Structure formats: C-alpha cells, structure tokens
Amino acid sequence: MPYIGNPSAQRFTSPRAASVFSGDGSTVAFTLEEAVSTDEDILVSVDGVIQEPSVAYAVSSGTTLTFTAAPSSNSGNNIFVYYIARTLGSVSMPDGQNVNAATGSFSGALTASSTAAITGNTTVGGTLGVTGATTLSSDLTIPDKIIHAGDTDTAIRFSAANEVKVETGGDEIVKFSSGATVFNNGGANMDFRIEGDTDTELFFIDAGNEKLGIGTSTSDGFLHIKKNYQSDIGMSMNDTSGSGGTAIRFKINGTTKGSIAYSGSGTSFNTSSDYRLKENVSYTWDATSRLKQLKPARFNWINDDTNTFVDGFLAHEVSSIVPEAITGEKDDTQDVGTLKDKDGNVKAENVPESVKENAEHTWTKTGTENVYQEIDQDKLVPLLVKSLQEALTEIDTLKTKVAALESN
C-alpha cells in the first residue's frame, strides 16, 4: 500500500511541543516532560501572562522548572510551557530501510551501530562514532588528525600539506613527507628495531646511546655487528669502477690519519706520514741498543687447540722499548655485570657499566674480566730499518779496515 506524504524510511519522530500544569498556590517546582539547557529554551505562561526567564522562573537539572513565586490556584490547567529550543530527536527507521542522501551535514554526533555505507560527501562537526563496519566509497577529509579512542596522545596527524605523522604517547614516531621519511623526528629516547626471519634484532638503533647494532641490541661501539662469521662474510665492499679506491678513511676533526685502500693488485693499510704533519725530525739516534732489548719469541695461543707455534712478542716486554706499538696496560682488568631496563628485564650480561644506556637502566656487577694488551707490529719497522742501517755502516767500516790490513 503506498504511503501518503513522506515514505516511512524518511519519517521523523519528534519530541513533545508543550506541557501543561495546574497551580495550587504553594507548589513552585514542576517536572518538565522534555529536557532543556537554559531558561530561554522554554516559553512559560501563567494565567495567560508570559513569564520572564531567569526572573519569574529557572530551569535546573534540565527537567525541573522552578518558579520564584508559587503560581495561583485555578480550576483546570493554568500553566503552559512551550519548548522553543529542543533536540529534535533521532531518525526512526523501519528495519531494513536506509537513509539515502547525496550530501549531509551533522553538527552533533553521528553514531552508527551497524554497517554504515557513505557514497557521497559527509561533514561531521561533532563526534563520529562507529561500532560496526564503515565503507567509504568517496574521500574522507580530515582537517588535522585521527585520534585513538581513550588515548588522546596517540594519533595519525595531517599537520601540513604533503605530510603525515604517526604519534604515540605524544611523541612523533614517524613523519612521511614529499621530501623524506623521518623516524623519531622529536628526538625522544625511542629505540628502532627491525626483525628478520629468525633474528629478532636484525637491525637495532639504540636511541638513548645513539648506537647501531646488527644482530644485537647492546652495542659496545657506535656500530656493532654480532653474527656467525663462519657462515657468511661480516662485511663486503665491491668496487664497481674496476680500479679500486679508498674503502675506509680514518679522520680526527676532519684531518685524515689513515685509510684502507685497494687496487687491482692488493690492499693497503695506510697511516698518515706526510712531512707537513711532523716536527723535530731527527735521523741520528741509536736503534741498535733498543733493538737488542726486544725479545722475539715463539709460542702458541692458549685457545688454539692445535698448539701451533708462531713468532711474535709479549706486549708488555715491548711497551718500554717501542711504547707507540702497544695499546693497553699489563694485567689490566675491568668490572662486568648485568644490564637491566626500567622494568627489570635483562638486556645484556657480562658487559661493562659503560654500556648503560640511561638513568632508567640498572647495572649490577657480577664479576671481573681481563682487558688484554695489543701490539701494532708495523710500528717496529722503523727500529728494524735503522738498526740494519747501523749494522751495514759498521760492516762497511770493518770491510774498509780489513782491506787496509790486507793491502799491507
């Protein structure tokens, strides 16, 4: 059967337009049938006289109408209340029917408890609450951000043109823009981790200590690679020019101190030696007496199960003769312990206290480990060359003397 007027799918249910009461000469408070926000939201007439809002009456709690003086007693209804500013109510729809609109504007809250399909443009000035699924067939325009419910400092923010930010806990986690993608743009103490197939710390950035770890979250240097080098190469550099070049350059305050370079014939481990970097240069010094103090030895390494003998030196026996060749002190040790985060979770064990990331972390000593001396045997070369030159000079002198004796 066809409807007369608006179809049922677009019919509205409106609240009451007016209420009537009877005065008894003593009652000053009456309960309204509709909630209102202010005194001016209703028009009140007593015995045919319009009452002045906030003077003759007031509204409290939204539904309580209180008169300054009790309305007079009269036979029948003598108090009329007209609702002139009220909520219109909600759209009442028969089951299975849809609200269809090309465009719509809602100044309050729009709530969908089931599936909402929006095919046109919809502007929501208040809160959009959706407890079911929502399908958007057109664009959704957001002026600033999408906020997580109940967590106002976690959001996806559209802060500028061609820019999207993801924020959690009030900190900017990542920013996408037309020119760059930036992680931790706010400079918070926030670590960054990428997991591999089996390695949970394949790539780890320690923001608190500003260190980078590969295969580890606890780095003992600015870059720490912790992997099984028996299964693969630790680091590979492939020069595609075909002629080689400098693989690594070492600098102090911008001045080069050394490098590792390679060419088609081999690899060079270089240290700076330019005359412009040196002063007090002397060529007359006694190398032979110092060389005689060195104690070349043969030994095997303790951790070498094959007990293979090699030639070399004991670092502490060289330190007083060629100190620049030795790093570290004889019999040096350092304390090691367990590092925990603020929640008490173990981050690393048997590490020095220097790896402690921030004040929230704790380090507890568990033992002591040896810090071993090291030697750069290249630093012995000048001493060997000078000693050989002194020996050759002495040999030449002896040859001259022998030749003179033989000629006599």
Side-chain angles (χ1 to χ4, degrees):
M1 176 179 177
Y3 289 99
I4 298 176
N6 293 331
S8 60
Q10 299 177 17
R11 186 171 55 197
F12 287 79
T13 300
S14 300
R16 183 178 296 275
S19 296
V20 293
F21 305 96
S22 296
D24 58 8
S26 61
T27 302
V28 295
F30 298 85
T31 301
L32 300 176
E33 296 172 280
E34 296 290 340
V36 297
S37 300
T38 66
D39 299 341
E40 289 77 12
D41 288 347
I42 56 177
L43 179 66
V44 180
S45 171
V46 178
D47 295 327
V49 179
I50 301 299
Q51 305 297 300
E52 184 178 357
S54 305
V55 177
Y57 68 89
V59 179
S60 62
S61 302
T63 58
T64 301
L65 171 63
T66 304
F67 289 95
T68 305
S72 62
S73 176
N74 200 337
S75 60
N77 299 321
N78 65 334
I79 304 173
F80 293 86
V81 179
Y82 301 93
Y83 302 98
I84 57 177
R86 64 189 186 279
T87 302
L88 292 179
S90 59
V91 179
S92 178
M93 310 299 300
D95 291 341
Q97 299 295 320
N98 299 318
V99 175
N100 299 316
T103 60
S105 179
F106 300 86
S107 59
L110 173 63
T111 301
S113 60
S114 185
T115 301
I118 302 174
T119 58
N121 298 322
T122 301
T123 302
V124 180
T127 301
L128 173 63
V130 180
T131 57
T134 300
T135 302
L136 301 178
S137 300
S138 186
D139 295 335
L140 176 64
T141 301
I142 299 172
D144 184 42
K145 58 183 177 293
I146 302 173
I147 303 176
H148 179 252
D151 187 5
T152 56
D153 58 3
T154 297
I156 299 176
R157 185 184 298 273
F158 303 87
S159 53
N162 303 318
E163 185 174 281
V164 181
K165 297 179 180 179
V166 178
E167 303 172 354
T168 61
D171 293 321
E172 183 180 308
I173 306 301
V174 59
K175 180 177 74 174
F176 303 97
S177 66
S178 57
T181 298
V182 182
F183 292 89
N184 193 22
N185 190 50
N189 183 7
M190 185 182 306
D191 297 337
F192 176 81
R193 178 168 59 91
I194 297 177
E195 292 193 11
D197 186 25
T198 58
D199 191 343
T200 59
E201 297 170 342
L202 179 63
F203 187 85
F204 191 93
I205 297 178
D206 179 353
N209 282 321
E210 299 183 342
K211 294 181 178 181
L212 172 62
I214 298 177
T216 179
S217 62
T218 304
S219 177
D220 56 8
F222 292 114
L223 172 61
H224 185 173
I225 303 176
K226 182 180 180 182
K227 289 291 184 180
N228 180 3
Y229 293 130
Q230 297 299 314
S231 62
D232 207 343
I233 300 172
M235 182 182 296
S236 177
M237 296 185 180
N238 183 14
D239 176 32
T240 58
S241 71
S243 58
T246 300
I248 300 176
R249 178 173 283 116
F250 305 95
K251 292 184 176 183
I252 296 179
N253 294 328
T255 302
T256 298
K257 299 299 181 180
S259 65
I260 300 176
Y262 55 98
S263 63
S265 59
T267 301
S268 301
F269 298 86
N270 307 308
T271 184
S272 56
S273 187
D274 194 286
Y275 75 96
R276 291 167 294 183
L277 300 173
K278 304 172 183 179
E279 62 181 3
N280 301 320
V281 178
S282 172
Y283 298 102
T284 57
W285 48 280
D286 181 10
T288 303
S289 59
R290 290 172 60 195
L291 182 68
K292 289 180 179 179
Q293 298 177 53
L294 292 177
K295 300 177 181 179
R298 284 181 59 78
F299 52 84
N300 65 273
W301 294 97
I302 294 174
N303 64 350
D304 181 5
D305 294 335
T306 65
N307 293 327
T308 302
F309 275 79
V310 295
D311 301 327
F313 298 92
L314 304 183
H316 71 278
E317 293 180 344
V318 179
S319 60
S320 61
I321 304 166
V322 190
E324 62 269 25
I326 305 302
T327 300
E329 301 294 333
K330 183 176 182 293
D331 299 323
D332 193 15
T333 62
Q334 69 176 1
D335 294 335
V336 294
T338 300
L339 180 68
K340 296 181 180 180
D341 62 20
K342 62 180 181 179
D343 298 319
N345 301 313
V346 176
K347 291 180 62 67
E349 294 182 320
N350 298 320
V351 294
E353 188 175 8
S354 58
V355 305
K356 184 178 177 182
E357 298 178 1
N358 51 59
E360 294 180 341
H361 291 173
T362 60
W363 178 87
T364 304
K365 178 182 175 181
T366 58
T368 303
E369 68 176 11
N370 294 327
V371 179
Y372 299 108
Q373 286 183 292
E374 299 170 342
I375 184 172
D376 180 1
Q377 299 191 45
D378 287 347
K379 294 294 195 300
L380 301 180
V381 172
L383 181 65
L384 297 176
V385 172
K386 185 66 166 61
S387 297
L388 178 59
Q389 290 176 337
E390 291 174 357
L392 291 174
T393 299
E394 188 172 348
I395 290 173
D396 289 339
T397 300
L398 292 174
K399 283 183 177 180
T400 300
K401 291 181 178 180
V402 170
L405 291 174
E406 289 178 345
S407 63
N408 293 328

